[in-house]
């Protein structure tokens, strides 16, 4: 496990993608990004195994994991519009995750600029902690999500159009020619029966009128 983690930490963008995939899986299993954030925050502060960039890569995948959960829940029991919304969410989350992972070093740098203190500074007490790293992680996560929100506003029309194409309305089955002919005959019979009923009522009324005279 330690060797695999060391290899992933040294793989650059490919390693970031692997950590993002891990974040997506965790968010899907834990049903939301909140538990993953708490897990990663505790991990980076108490162990120092992950640096800021790779911790942000894990959190980047939580958007995709949450979208997968939404798609699974909304696909079967709900309407076509709900499925389209879930597909749009999934497409956007995938795009946002990839965009954040590709630029993850930028968000780590911005967090270092915005938050004072060295993220690698170790504080010794009852436990060995890295408290500044937690603050940097929060700042980096916030600015990356702000970037994701701006990206959502830009690609929203395209995402909705793509979702409509992927989730089309089912075409209702067309009746056969024989069924259409039978339906036409039935309508004619109903109309004829109505006319005959009116004629019978007219005869009865006429007969009563003549007898009363």
């Amino acid at each position: 496990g330690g060797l695999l983690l060391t290899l992933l930490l040294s793989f650059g963008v490919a390693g970031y993608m692997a950590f993002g995939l891990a974040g997506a899986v965790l968010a899907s299993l834990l049903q939301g990004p909140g538990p993953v954030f708490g897990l990663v925050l505790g991990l980076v502060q108490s162990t120092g195994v992950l640096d800021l960039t790779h911790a942000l890569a894990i959190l980047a995948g939580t958007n995709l994991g949450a979208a997968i959960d939404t798609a699974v829940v909304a696909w079967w029991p709900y309407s076509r519009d709900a499925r389209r919304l879930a597909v749009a969410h999934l497409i956007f989350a995938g795009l946002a995750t990839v965009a954040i992972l590709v630029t993850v070093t930028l968000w780590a740098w911005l967090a270092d600029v915005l938050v004072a203190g060295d993220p690698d500074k170790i504080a010794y007490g009852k436990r060995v902690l890295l408290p500044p790293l937690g603050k940097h992680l929060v700042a980096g996560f916030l600015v990356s999500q702000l970037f994701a929100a701006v990206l959502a506003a830009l690609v929203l029309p395209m995402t909705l159009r793509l979702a409509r194409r992927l989730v089309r309305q089912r075409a209702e089955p067309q009746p056969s020619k024989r069924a259409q002919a039978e339906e036409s005959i039935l309508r004619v019979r109903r109309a004829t029966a109505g006319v005959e009923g009116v004629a019978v009522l007219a005869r009865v009324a006429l007969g009563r009128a003549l007898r009363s005279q």
Side-chain angles (χ1 to χ4, degrees):
L3 178 60
L4 178 61
L5 181 61
T6 302
L7 290 174
L8 290 176
L9 289 173
S10 62
F11 275 169
V13 176
Y16 299 148
M17 293 293 178
F19 278 97
L21 180 60
V25 172
L26 285 173
S28 181
L29 292 176
L30 298 177
Q31 300 183 349
V36 181
F37 184 85
L39 180 64
V40 173
L41 181 61
L43 188 63
V44 298
Q45 281 193 321
S46 60
T47 65
V49 174
L50 296 175
D51 58 14
L52 177 60
T53 306
H54 289 88
L56 288 173
I58 294 176
L59 296 180
T62 58
N63 292 322
L64 181 58
I68 291 173
D69 277 348
T70 302
V72 170
V73 170
W75 193 256
W76 292 111
Y78 296 105
S79 65
R80 183 183 70 257
D81 291 335
R83 292 195 294 271
R84 284 177 173 174
L85 182 60
V87 170
H89 184 201
L90 187 61
I91 294 171
F92 161 71
L95 292 175
T97 298
V98 173
I100 293 174
L101 288 173
V102 171
T103 58
V104 68
T105 54
L106 172 63
W107 313 123
W109 175 78
L110 280 176
D112 196 27
V113 171
L114 295 173
V115 180
D118 183 4
D120 298 325
K121 181 180 178 181
I122 299 176
Y124 295 94
K126 293 182 179 179
R127 297 181 180 178
V128 179
L129 299 175
L130 286 81
L133 185 55
K135 298 177 182 178
H136 284 72
L137 181 62
V138 173
F141 180 70
L142 289 177
V143 293
S144 65
Q145 293 305 302
L146 180 61
F147 165 73
V150 174
L151 180 64
L154 294 175
V155 303
L156 182 60
M158 178 194 70
T159 303
L160 293 177
R161 287 196 299 268
L162 183 57
R164 291 192 188 99
R165 292 181 181 178
L166 293 176
V167 184
R168 294 181 178 274
Q169 183 176 4
R170 293 183 179 179
E172 296 183 358
Q174 297 295 329
S176 62
K177 292 183 178 180
R178 180 177 178 180
Q180 292 178 358
E182 291 177 351
E183 181 67 22
S184 299
I185 293 172
L186 183 60
R187 289 177 181 175
V188 171
R189 287 178 178 175
R190 288 174 180 172
T192 305
V195 173
E196 290 177 352
V198 172
V200 170
L201 291 175
R203 290 195 195 103
V204 172
L206 181 60
R208 290 179 178 177
L210 292 174
R211 284 195 297 271
S212 63
Q213 292 177 358

Short mmCIF file of all heavy atoms in Angstrom, two decimals, residues 128-180:
data_model
loop_
_atom_site.label_atom_id
_atom_site.label_comp_id
_atom_site.label_asym_id
_atom_site.label_seq_id
_atom_site.Cartn_x
_atom_site.Cartn_y
_atom_site.Cartn_z
N VAL A 128 1.25 14.77 16.52
CA VAL A 128 1.98 15.49 15.48
C VAL A 128 0.97 15.94 14.44
O VAL A 128 0.32 15.12 13.79
CB VAL A 128 3.07 14.59 14.86
CG1 VAL A 128 3.78 15.37 13.75
CG2 VAL A 128 4.03 14.12 15.91
N LEU A 129 0.80 17.24 14.27
CA LEU A 129 -0.22 17.78 13.38
C LEU A 129 0.38 18.76 12.40
O LEU A 129 1.48 19.29 12.61
CB LEU A 129 -1.31 18.50 14.20
CG LEU A 129 -2.09 17.67 15.21
CD1 LEU A 129 -3.03 18.56 16.00
CD2 LEU A 129 -2.88 16.57 14.52
N LEU A 130 -0.36 18.99 11.32
CA LEU A 130 -0.01 20.01 10.34
C LEU A 130 -1.20 20.96 10.20
O LEU A 130 -1.93 20.94 9.21
CB LEU A 130 0.32 19.38 8.97
CG LEU A 130 1.65 18.64 8.82
CD1 LEU A 130 1.55 17.24 9.37
CD2 LEU A 130 2.08 18.61 7.36
N PRO A 131 -1.44 21.80 11.19
CA PRO A 131 -2.64 22.64 11.16
C PRO A 131 -2.71 23.61 10.00
O PRO A 131 -3.80 23.85 9.46
CB PRO A 131 -2.60 23.36 12.51
CG PRO A 131 -1.19 23.24 12.98
CD PRO A 131 -0.66 21.97 12.42
N PRO A 132 -1.60 24.23 9.55
CA PRO A 132 -1.72 25.14 8.41
C PRO A 132 -2.19 24.43 7.13
O PRO A 132 -2.86 25.04 6.29
CB PRO A 132 -0.31 25.71 8.24
CG PRO A 132 0.33 25.54 9.58
CD PRO A 132 -0.24 24.25 10.10
N LEU A 133 -1.86 23.16 6.99
CA LEU A 133 -2.25 22.43 5.79
C LEU A 133 -3.77 22.32 5.68
O LEU A 133 -4.33 22.36 4.58
CB LEU A 133 -1.61 21.04 5.79
CG LEU A 133 -1.83 20.18 4.54
CD1 LEU A 133 -1.37 20.93 3.30
CD2 LEU A 133 -1.09 18.86 4.66
N GLY A 134 -4.45 22.20 6.82
CA GLY A 134 -5.90 22.14 6.80
C GLY A 134 -6.51 23.42 6.27
O GLY A 134 -7.46 23.41 5.48
N LYS A 135 -5.96 24.57 6.68
CA LYS A 135 -6.45 25.86 6.19
C LYS A 135 -6.19 26.01 4.69
O LYS A 135 -7.06 26.52 3.96
CB LYS A 135 -5.77 27.00 6.95
CG LYS A 135 -6.05 27.00 8.45
CD LYS A 135 -5.28 28.10 9.14
CE LYS A 135 -5.50 28.08 10.65
NZ LYS A 135 -4.72 29.12 11.34
N HIS A 136 -5.03 25.59 4.27
CA HIS A 136 -4.73 25.65 2.84
C HIS A 136 -5.67 24.75 2.04
O HIS A 136 -6.09 25.09 0.93
CB HIS A 136 -3.27 25.24 2.59
CG HIS A 136 -2.27 26.28 2.95
ND1 HIS A 136 -1.97 26.62 4.25
CD2 HIS A 136 -1.49 27.07 2.16
CE1 HIS A 136 -1.05 27.57 4.26
NE2 HIS A 136 -0.74 27.86 3.00
N LEU A 137 -6.00 23.60 2.61
CA LEU A 137 -6.89 22.67 1.92
C LEU A 137 -8.28 23.28 1.75
O LEU A 137 -8.89 23.18 0.68
CB LEU A 137 -6.98 21.36 2.70
CG LEU A 137 -7.86 20.27 2.09
CD1 LEU A 137 -7.34 19.85 0.73
CD2 LEU A 137 -7.96 19.06 3.01
N VAL A 138 -8.78 23.91 2.79
CA VAL A 138 -10.10 24.56 2.71
C VAL A 138 -10.08 25.66 1.65
O VAL A 138 -11.00 25.76 0.81
CB VAL A 138 -10.51 25.13 4.08
CG1 VAL A 138 -11.78 25.96 3.96
CG2 VAL A 138 -10.71 24.00 5.08
N ALA A 139 -9.04 26.49 1.65
CA ALA A 139 -8.96 27.58 0.68
C ALA A 139 -8.84 27.04 -0.74
O ALA A 139 -9.52 27.53 -1.66
CB ALA A 139 -7.76 28.47 1.01
N GLY A 140 -8.00 26.04 -0.94
CA GLY A 140 -7.84 25.47 -2.27
C GLY A 140 -9.12 24.83 -2.78
O GLY A 140 -9.47 24.95 -3.96
N PHE A 141 -9.84 24.16 -1.89
CA PHE A 141 -11.10 23.53 -2.28
C PHE A 141 -12.13 24.59 -2.66
O PHE A 141 -12.86 24.43 -3.65
CB PHE A 141 -11.61 22.66 -1.13
CG PHE A 141 -12.91 21.95 -1.44
CD1 PHE A 141 -12.95 20.92 -2.36
CD2 PHE A 141 -14.07 22.33 -0.80
CE1 PHE A 141 -14.14 20.27 -2.65
CE2 PHE A 141 -15.26 21.68 -1.08
CZ PHE A 141 -15.30 20.65 -2.01
N LEU A 142 -12.20 25.67 -1.91
CA LEU A 142 -13.18 26.72 -2.20
C LEU A 142 -12.92 27.40 -3.54
O LEU A 142 -13.85 27.61 -4.34
CB LEU A 142 -13.17 27.76 -1.07
CG LEU A 142 -13.77 27.31 0.27
CD1 LEU A 142 -13.64 28.42 1.30
CD2 LEU A 142 -15.23 26.91 0.11
N VAL A 143 -11.65 27.73 -3.82
CA VAL A 143 -11.37 28.40 -5.09
C VAL A 143 -11.57 27.45 -6.27
O VAL A 143 -12.02 27.86 -7.35
CB VAL A 143 -9.95 29.00 -5.10
CG1 VAL A 143 -9.83 30.14 -4.10
CG2 VAL A 143 -8.89 27.94 -4.84
N SER A 144 -11.29 26.18 -6.10
CA SER A 144 -11.51 25.22 -7.18
C SER A 144 -13.01 25.04 -7.44
O SER A 144 -13.43 24.91 -8.60
CB SER A 144 -10.87 23.88 -6.85
OG SER A 144 -11.49 23.26 -5.74
N GLN A 145 -13.82 25.06 -6.39
CA GLN A 145 -15.26 24.95 -6.59
C GLN A 145 -15.85 26.21 -7.19
O GLN A 145 -16.84 26.15 -7.94
CB GLN A 145 -15.94 24.64 -5.25
CG GLN A 145 -15.60 23.27 -4.68
CD GLN A 145 -15.88 22.15 -5.66
OE1 GLN A 145 -16.99 21.98 -6.13
NE2 GLN A 145 -14.85 21.37 -5.96
N LEU A 146 -15.26 27.34 -6.89
CA LEU A 146 -15.68 28.58 -7.54
C LEU A 146 -15.39 28.51 -9.04
O LEU A 146 -16.22 28.92 -9.87
CB LEU A 146 -14.96 29.77 -6.91
CG LEU A 146 -15.29 31.15 -7.49
CD1 LEU A 146 -16.77 31.47 -7.31
CD2 LEU A 146 -14.43 32.22 -6.83
N PHE A 147 -14.25 27.98 -9.38
CA PHE A 147 -13.92 27.76 -10.79
C PHE A 147 -14.93 26.81 -11.44
O PHE A 147 -15.36 27.02 -12.58
CB PHE A 147 -12.50 27.19 -10.89
CG PHE A 147 -12.17 26.61 -12.23
CD1 PHE A 147 -11.95 27.43 -13.33
CD2 PHE A 147 -12.06 25.24 -12.39
CE1 PHE A 147 -11.65 26.89 -14.57
CE2 PHE A 147 -11.76 24.68 -13.62
CZ PHE A 147 -11.55 25.51 -14.71
N ALA A 148 -15.32 25.75 -10.71
CA ALA A 148 -16.30 24.80 -11.24
C ALA A 148 -17.65 25.48 -11.46
O ALA A 148 -18.35 25.18 -12.44
CB ALA A 148 -16.45 23.62 -10.28
N ALA A 149 -18.04 26.40 -10.58
CA ALA A 149 -19.31 27.12 -10.74
C ALA A 149 -19.28 28.00 -11.98
O ALA A 149 -20.27 28.08 -12.73
CB ALA A 149 -19.59 27.95 -9.50
N VAL A 150 -18.16 28.68 -12.22
CA VAL A 150 -18.04 29.51 -13.43
C VAL A 150 -18.08 28.63 -14.67
O VAL A 150 -18.74 28.96 -15.68
CB VAL A 150 -16.73 30.32 -13.38
CG1 VAL A 150 -16.50 31.07 -14.70
CG2 VAL A 150 -16.74 31.30 -12.21
N LEU A 151 -17.41 27.49 -14.61
CA LEU A 151 -17.44 26.55 -15.73
C LEU A 151 -18.85 26.07 -16.00
O LEU A 151 -19.27 25.91 -17.16
CB LEU A 151 -16.50 25.37 -15.43
CG LEU A 151 -16.41 24.29 -16.51
CD1 LEU A 151 -15.82 24.87 -17.79
CD2 LEU A 151 -15.54 23.13 -16.01
N ALA A 152 -19.62 25.82 -14.93
CA ALA A 152 -21.01 25.36 -15.08
C ALA A 152 -21.84 26.39 -15.82
O ALA A 152 -22.66 26.06 -16.69
CB ALA A 152 -21.61 25.08 -13.70
N ALA A 153 -21.66 27.68 -15.48
CA ALA A 153 -22.42 28.73 -16.15
C ALA A 153 -22.09 28.80 -17.64
O ALA A 153 -22.96 29.09 -18.46
CB ALA A 153 -22.14 30.06 -15.48
N LEU A 154 -20.84 28.49 -17.99
CA LEU A 154 -20.42 28.58 -19.39
C LEU A 154 -20.92 27.39 -20.22
O LEU A 154 -21.30 27.56 -21.39
CB LEU A 154 -18.89 28.66 -19.47
CG LEU A 154 -18.25 29.92 -18.88
CD1 LEU A 154 -16.74 29.82 -18.92
CD2 LEU A 154 -18.73 31.16 -19.63
N VAL A 155 -20.91 26.21 -19.64
CA VAL A 155 -21.25 25.01 -20.42
C VAL A 155 -22.67 24.53 -20.18
O VAL A 155 -23.07 23.50 -20.73
CB VAL A 155 -20.26 23.87 -20.10
CG1 VAL A 155 -18.83 24.30 -20.37
CG2 VAL A 155 -20.42 23.39 -18.66
N LEU A 156 -23.45 25.25 -19.37
CA LEU A 156 -24.80 24.78 -19.04
C LEU A 156 -25.68 24.58 -20.28
O LEU A 156 -26.33 23.53 -20.40
CB LEU A 156 -25.45 25.75 -18.06
CG LEU A 156 -26.86 25.37 -17.58
CD1 LEU A 156 -26.83 24.02 -16.87
CD2 LEU A 156 -27.42 26.45 -16.66
N PRO A 157 -25.76 25.55 -21.21
CA PRO A 157 -26.62 25.31 -22.39
C PRO A 157 -26.20 24.08 -23.19
O PRO A 157 -27.04 23.28 -23.61
CB PRO A 157 -26.45 26.60 -23.21
CG PRO A 157 -26.01 27.62 -22.22
CD PRO A 157 -25.16 26.89 -21.23
N MET A 158 -24.89 23.90 -23.41
CA MET A 158 -24.41 22.75 -24.15
C MET A 158 -24.72 21.46 -23.41
O MET A 158 -25.12 20.45 -24.01
CB MET A 158 -22.90 22.88 -24.37
CG MET A 158 -22.29 21.69 -25.11
SD MET A 158 -20.49 21.68 -24.99
CE MET A 158 -20.27 21.26 -23.26
N THR A 159 -24.57 21.47 -22.08
CA THR A 159 -24.84 20.28 -21.28
C THR A 159 -26.30 19.88 -21.35
O THR A 159 -26.64 18.70 -21.48
CB THR A 159 -24.43 20.53 -19.82
OG1 THR A 159 -23.05 20.92 -19.77
CG2 THR A 159 -24.62 19.28 -18.99
N LEU A 160 -27.20 20.85 -21.29
CA LEU A 160 -28.63 20.55 -21.36
C LEU A 160 -29.02 20.00 -22.72
O LEU A 160 -29.83 19.07 -22.82
CB LEU A 160 -29.44 21.81 -21.04
CG LEU A 160 -29.33 22.32 -19.60
CD1 LEU A 160 -30.12 23.62 -19.43
CD2 LEU A 160 -29.82 21.27 -18.61
N ARG A 161 -28.46 20.57 -23.79
CA ARG A 161 -28.76 20.05 -25.13
C ARG A 161 -28.27 18.62 -25.29
O ARG A 161 -28.97 17.77 -25.86
CB ARG A 161 -28.11 20.95 -26.19
CG ARG A 161 -28.80 22.29 -26.38
CD ARG A 161 -28.35 22.95 -27.68
NE ARG A 161 -26.91 23.20 -27.68
CZ ARG A 161 -26.36 24.33 -27.27
NH1 ARG A 161 -27.13 25.31 -26.79
NH2 ARG A 161 -25.05 24.49 -27.32
N LEU A 162 -27.08 18.35 -24.77
CA LEU A 162 -26.55 16.99 -24.86
C LEU A 162 -27.39 16.02 -24.04
O LEU A 162 -27.65 14.88 -24.47
CB LEU A 162 -25.10 16.98 -24.37
CG LEU A 162 -24.36 15.64 -24.45
CD1 LEU A 162 -24.35 15.12 -25.88
CD2 LEU A 162 -22.93 15.80 -23.93
N ALA A 163 -27.86 16.45 -22.88
CA ALA A 163 -28.70 15.58 -22.05
C ALA A 163 -30.02 15.27 -22.76
O ALA A 163 -30.53 14.15 -22.67
CB ALA A 163 -28.95 16.24 -20.70
N ARG A 164 -30.59 16.27 -23.45
CA ARG A 164 -31.85 16.03 -24.19
C ARG A 164 -31.64 15.01 -25.30
O ARG A 164 -32.52 14.20 -25.60
CB ARG A 164 -32.38 17.34 -24.77
CG ARG A 164 -32.88 18.32 -23.72
CD ARG A 164 -33.65 19.46 -24.39
NE ARG A 164 -33.97 20.50 -23.43
CZ ARG A 164 -33.29 21.62 -23.28
NH1 ARG A 164 -32.21 21.85 -24.04
NH2 ARG A 164 -33.65 22.53 -22.37
N ARG A 165 -30.48 15.07 -25.95
CA ARG A 165 -30.21 14.10 -27.01
C ARG A 165 -30.00 12.69 -26.47
O ARG A 165 -30.41 11.71 -27.08
CB ARG A 165 -28.97 14.53 -27.79
CG ARG A 165 -29.17 15.79 -28.62
CD ARG A 165 -27.90 16.15 -29.38
NE ARG A 165 -28.08 17.37 -30.14
CZ ARG A 165 -27.13 17.94 -30.88
NH1 ARG A 165 -25.91 17.38 -30.94
NH2 ARG A 165 -27.37 19.05 -31.55
N LEU A 166 -29.35 12.61 -25.32
CA LEU A 166 -29.07 11.30 -24.75
C LEU A 166 -30.31 10.64 -24.16
O LEU A 166 -30.45 9.42 -24.19
CB LEU A 166 -27.98 11.42 -23.68
CG LEU A 166 -26.59 11.81 -24.18
CD1 LEU A 166 -25.64 12.00 -23.01
CD2 LEU A 166 -26.05 10.75 -25.13
N VAL A 167 -31.20 11.46 -23.58
CA VAL A 167 -32.42 10.92 -22.97
C VAL A 167 -33.60 11.43 -23.81
O VAL A 167 -34.16 12.48 -23.55
CB VAL A 167 -32.57 11.38 -21.51
CG1 VAL A 167 -33.80 10.73 -20.87
CG2 VAL A 167 -31.32 11.02 -20.72
N ARG A 168 -33.95 10.68 -24.81
CA ARG A 168 -35.03 11.08 -25.70
C ARG A 168 -36.36 10.54 -25.21
O ARG A 168 -36.43 9.56 -24.48
CB ARG A 168 -34.78 10.56 -27.12
CG ARG A 168 -33.57 11.19 -27.80
CD ARG A 168 -33.40 10.66 -29.19
NE ARG A 168 -32.28 11.28 -29.88
CZ ARG A 168 -32.34 12.42 -30.54
NH1 ARG A 168 -33.49 13.07 -30.62
NH2 ARG A 168 -31.28 12.92 -31.14
N GLN A 169 -37.42 11.20 -25.67
CA GLN A 169 -38.76 10.72 -25.33
C GLN A 169 -39.06 9.48 -26.15
O GLN A 169 -38.82 9.41 -27.36
CB GLN A 169 -39.80 11.80 -25.63
CG GLN A 169 -41.22 11.40 -25.25
CD GLN A 169 -42.19 12.53 -25.47
OE1 GLN A 169 -41.81 13.58 -25.98
NE2 GLN A 169 -43.44 12.33 -25.11
N ARG A 170 -39.57 8.49 -25.47
CA ARG A 170 -39.93 7.27 -26.15
C ARG A 170 -41.09 7.51 -27.11
O ARG A 170 -42.10 8.08 -26.74
CB ARG A 170 -40.33 6.17 -25.16
CG ARG A 170 -39.17 5.69 -24.29
CD ARG A 170 -39.65 4.57 -23.39
NE ARG A 170 -38.56 4.06 -22.57
CZ ARG A 170 -38.71 3.09 -21.68
NH1 ARG A 170 -39.88 2.53 -21.49
NH2 ARG A 170 -37.67 2.68 -20.97
N ALA A 171 -40.91 7.04 -28.34
CA ALA A 171 -41.99 7.19 -29.32
C ALA A 171 -43.10 6.19 -29.01
O ALA A 171 -42.85 4.99 -28.80
CB ALA A 171 -41.44 6.94 -30.73
N GLU A 172 -44.33 6.69 -28.97
CA GLU A 172 -45.44 5.81 -28.69
C GLU A 172 -45.69 4.90 -29.88
O GLU A 172 -45.61 5.32 -31.03
CB GLU A 172 -46.70 6.64 -28.39
CG GLU A 172 -46.56 7.48 -27.13
CD GLU A 172 -47.84 8.22 -26.82
OE1 GLU A 172 -48.80 8.08 -27.62
OE2 GLU A 172 -47.87 8.92 -25.81
N PRO A 173 -46.01 3.62 -29.65
CA PRO A 173 -46.21 2.68 -30.75
C PRO A 173 -47.41 3.09 -31.60
O PRO A 173 -48.47 3.43 -31.08
CB PRO A 173 -46.47 1.34 -30.02
CG PRO A 173 -46.90 1.73 -28.65
CD PRO A 173 -46.19 2.99 -28.33
N GLN A 174 -47.22 3.06 -32.92
CA GLN A 174 -48.29 3.41 -33.84
C GLN A 174 -49.19 2.21 -34.07
O GLN A 174 -48.72 1.08 -34.24
CB GLN A 174 -47.69 3.86 -35.19
CG GLN A 174 -46.86 5.12 -35.09
CD GLN A 174 -47.69 6.32 -34.70
OE1 GLN A 174 -48.89 6.40 -35.03
NE2 GLN A 174 -47.08 7.27 -33.99
N PRO A 175 -50.52 2.41 -34.06
CA PRO A 175 -51.42 1.28 -34.29
C PRO A 175 -51.30 0.76 -35.72
O PRO A 175 -50.98 1.51 -36.65
CB PRO A 175 -52.81 1.88 -34.03
CG PRO A 175 -52.63 3.35 -34.24
CD PRO A 175 -51.23 3.66 -33.81
N SER A 176 -51.57 -0.51 -35.90
CA SER A 176 -51.49 -1.12 -37.22
C SER A 176 -52.65 -0.65 -38.09
O SER A 176 -53.61 -0.05 -37.61
CB SER A 176 -51.52 -2.64 -37.09
OG SER A 176 -52.75 -3.07 -36.50
N LYS A 177 -52.57 -0.93 -39.40
CA LYS A 177 -53.63 -0.52 -40.32
C LYS A 177 -54.95 -1.22 -39.98
O LYS A 177 -56.02 -0.63 -40.10
CB LYS A 177 -53.22 -0.85 -41.75
CG LYS A 177 -52.05 0.00 -42.25
CD LYS A 177 -51.73 -0.32 -43.70
CE LYS A 177 -50.59 0.56 -44.20
NZ LYS A 177 -50.26 0.27 -45.63
N ARG A 178 -54.84 -2.48 -39.56
CA ARG A 178 -56.06 -3.21 -39.19
C ARG A 178 -56.73 -2.57 -37.97
O ARG A 178 -57.95 -2.40 -37.95
CB ARG A 178 -55.72 -4.67 -38.91
CG ARG A 178 -56.93 -5.50 -38.51
CD ARG A 178 -56.54 -6.94 -38.30
NE ARG A 178 -57.69 -7.73 -37.88
CZ ARG A 178 -57.63 -9.03 -37.62
NH1 ARG A 178 -56.49 -9.70 -37.77
NH2 ARG A 178 -58.72 -9.68 -37.25
N ALA A 179 -55.91 -2.20 -36.99
CA ALA A 179 -56.47 -1.56 -35.79
C ALA A 179 -57.08 -0.21 -36.13
O ALA A 179 -58.13 0.17 -35.61
CB ALA A 179 -55.37 -1.39 -34.74
N GLN A 180 -56.44 0.53 -37.06
CA GLN A 180 -57.00 1.82 -37.48
C GLN A 180 -58.34 1.63 -38.19
O GLN A 180 -59.28 2.41 -37.97
CB GLN A 180 -56.01 2.53 -38.40
CG GLN A 180 -54.74 3.00 -37.70
CD GLN A 180 -53.75 3.65 -38.66
OE1 GLN A 180 -53.99 3.72 -39.85
NE2 GLN A 180 -52.63 4.12 -38.13
#
